[in-house]
Amino acid sequence: MANTLYNKHIISIPELSRDELALIVATAGELKARPNPTLLKNKVIASCFFEASTRTRLSFETAIQRLGGSVIGFPDGGNTSSGKKGETLADSVRVISSYVDGFVMRHPKEGAARLASEFSEGVPVVNGGDGANQHPTQTLLDLFSIYETQGRLDNLNIAMVGDLKYGRTVHSLTQALSKFEGNRFFYIAPDALAMPEHLLDELTAAGHPYSLHSSITDVVPELDVLYMTRVQKERFDESEYAHIKAAFILNAAMLRDAKPNMKVMHPLPRVDEITVDVDKTPHAYYFEQAENGVYAREALLALVLNEQVEGVAQ
Amino acid sequence: MSTDNKLQVEAICHGTVIDHIPAHIGFKILNLFQMHGSDQRITIGLNLPSSALGSKDLIKIENVVISEDQASQLALYAPQATVNQIEDYQVVAKLPLTLPEVIQGVFRCPNSNCIAHGEPAVDSSFRVLSEADDVKLRCKYCEKVFSREIMTERH
Ligand SMILES: [Zn+2]
């Protein structure tokens, strides 16, 4: 397929097509197998973190440097002169994008990346997270990890566990996987943190089956992917949290009946929702998954900033 | 226009009549069209008897012709309203109340953490999502989805 991502803003998962998602995943696999230090040669990319997020920033900046590009930017917007002087985001973006070929940004407010894309004068904007809204590169690395471990992105049984109400990673992952065929979703969460109705409605409209559960072990034998997320303490009072916590913590014994191909994933950092004895099982995949973040971001930047990426079937 | 309305609210020669507005929405409609600042004569009927709605509000605005674009915004507040353009005391056109695809610059996003607040260079913008008879709006920026009621009640 042609590279339809060239010069495109990457703001939100729902607006990427199935073919575009598949192209990014294929390119990530290619770059993991055969590093290419010239894809961003002579390109300067802004890495502007208006809100600190060390892992995401380091992953982006590693990706840029491994492809031969150079980085300008800041790790924490609160300390920049524009942040202190109260400059609007629109003005900051106008100025910074006049210096660079690509603009990676993270911002604490929802919609910041979309707004930036309207003021970047055609310089492609990549959303590194906007408040509680979107974090598309997290979803791309999740998809790449699923593809890498399962060999496909369709006909999978995927469970998502934890804070499904506020967890943007599980929302985006659901939206991305629903673009492929035959995927079945299992949602495991406390009632107060259940998957939002409008996303379940979207699944129904797209013809994907799903079910809601309160226990991980009930569904383990059916799964290809078990995607864990954290239940935030702050959302509950103490006794309630103690009760909920116990039900949504994964330990090695709970994986006894898992299929051999089943992989446990987690966006990291984990707190205590996966006990360390899971790390030694063949099912643990969260550290490889984090490493894959660099390849997924390399692939995305390479595709956005090059009309053609050599070595990738297009 | 039925004769009983004519008796209760004076007929106008030239302008716009918005009828079949659900009771208590009339003031919101005036606000929506920024009519409170207008010099034109405006006649308002509140809680008028209506066979279809039980009670209704009605607005007559002299010398102002509401555009189709404005009428489509009205559709969000009062989907069953009728908008008649009047010339020489006669209805010369009935505007269709079709929902617009996008509503721009009218509502403030209810999400307080939305970037659209505090950025003077951008207008708020919502995509109208209608499924069956349910209407929702999705903010272009924060992508959050809000019900018709949340938007119109706050405004
Ligand atoms: Zn918004």
Side-chain angles (χ1 to χ4, degrees), chain A residues 24-47:
Chain A
I24 297 164
V25 165
T27 307
E30 185 66 28
L31 290 171
K32 187 169 183 174
R34 274 173 291 280
N36 185 336
T38 62
L39 283 169
L40 296 184
K41 205 177 153 210
N42 301 325
K43 306 247 191 239
V44 180
I45 292 157
S47 162

Side-chain angles (χ1 to χ4, degrees), chain A residues 110-111, chain B residues 108-117 124-126 138-144 146:
Chain A
E110 284 111 48
Chain B
R108 197 180 138 85
C109 181
N111 171 13
S112 60
N113 199 39
C114 179
I115 190 74
H117 307 308
S124 75
S125 180
F126 296 87
R138 187 176 61 224
C139 175
K140 174 188 179 185
Y141 293 100
C142 69
E143 304 184 30
K144 286 202 159 36
F146 304 98

Side-chain angles (χ1 to χ4, degrees), chain A residues 11-12 88-90 107-112 114-115 118-119 130-134 198, chain B residues 111-122 131 136 138 140-145:
Chain A
I11 309 296
S12 179
T88 62
L89 178 62
H107 197 284
K109 288 200 184 284
E110 284 111 48
R114 172 88 55 211
L115 186 137
E118 294 174 349
F119 292 90
D130 60 330
N133 183 32
Q134 290 275 332
H198 71 98
Chain B
N111 171 13
S112 60
N113 199 39
C114 179
I115 190 74
H117 307 308
E119 288 280 334
V122 299
E131 349 169 310
K136 291 182 170 142
R138 187 176 61 224
K140 174 188 179 185
Y141 293 100
C142 69
E143 304 184 30
K144 286 202 159 36
V145 176

Side-chain angles (χ1 to χ4, degrees), chain B residues 52-53 80 89 94 108 115 121 136 154:
Chain B
L53 299 169
Q80 279 134 27
Y89 297 100
K94 277 185 182 295
R108 197 180 138 85
I115 190 74
K136 291 182 170 142
R154 288 167 50 99

Side-chain angles (χ1 to χ4, degrees), chain B residues 8-132:
Chain B
Q8 291 180 50
V9 185
E10 198 187 339
I12 59 171
C13 171
H14 174 75
T16 305
V17 175
I18 308 170
D19 197 359
H20 303 108
I21 303 166
H24 312 301
I25 302 289
F27 276 114
K28 288 190 178 179
I29 307 285
L30 283 176
N31 200 26
L32 176 71
F33 294 134
Q34 304 281 304
M35 287 302 168
H36 45 276
S38 149
D39 294 335
Q40 296 301 329
R41 179 144 60 131
I42 300 169
T43 318
I44 312 167
L46 299 177
N47 298 316
L48 303 179
S50 155
S51 49
L53 299 169
S55 69
K56 66 174 184 182
D57 294 350
L58 177 136
I59 300 170
K60 298 187 177 193
I61 311 158
E62 224 147 350
N63 300 321
V64 172
V65 177
I66 284 178
S67 67
E68 286 202 22
D69 208 36
Q70 287 175 304
S72 65
Q73 288 180 14
L74 177 67
L76 199 70
Y77 287 83
Q80 279 134 27
T82 54
V83 179
N84 293 328
Q85 289 173 358
I86 310 289
E87 267 171 39
D88 216 1
Y89 297 100
Q90 301 294 315
V91 176
V92 291
K94 277 185 182 295
L95 288 188
L97 287 199
T98 42
L99 281 165
E101 275 180 32
V102 172
I103 297 180
Q104 212 154 345
V106 177
F107 301 108
R108 197 180 138 85
C109 181
N111 171 13
S112 60
N113 199 39
C114 179
I115 190 74
H117 307 308
E119 288 280 334
V122 299
D123 273 344
S124 75
S125 180
F126 296 87
R127 181 157 291 278
V128 176
L129 315 168
S130 37
E131 349 169 310

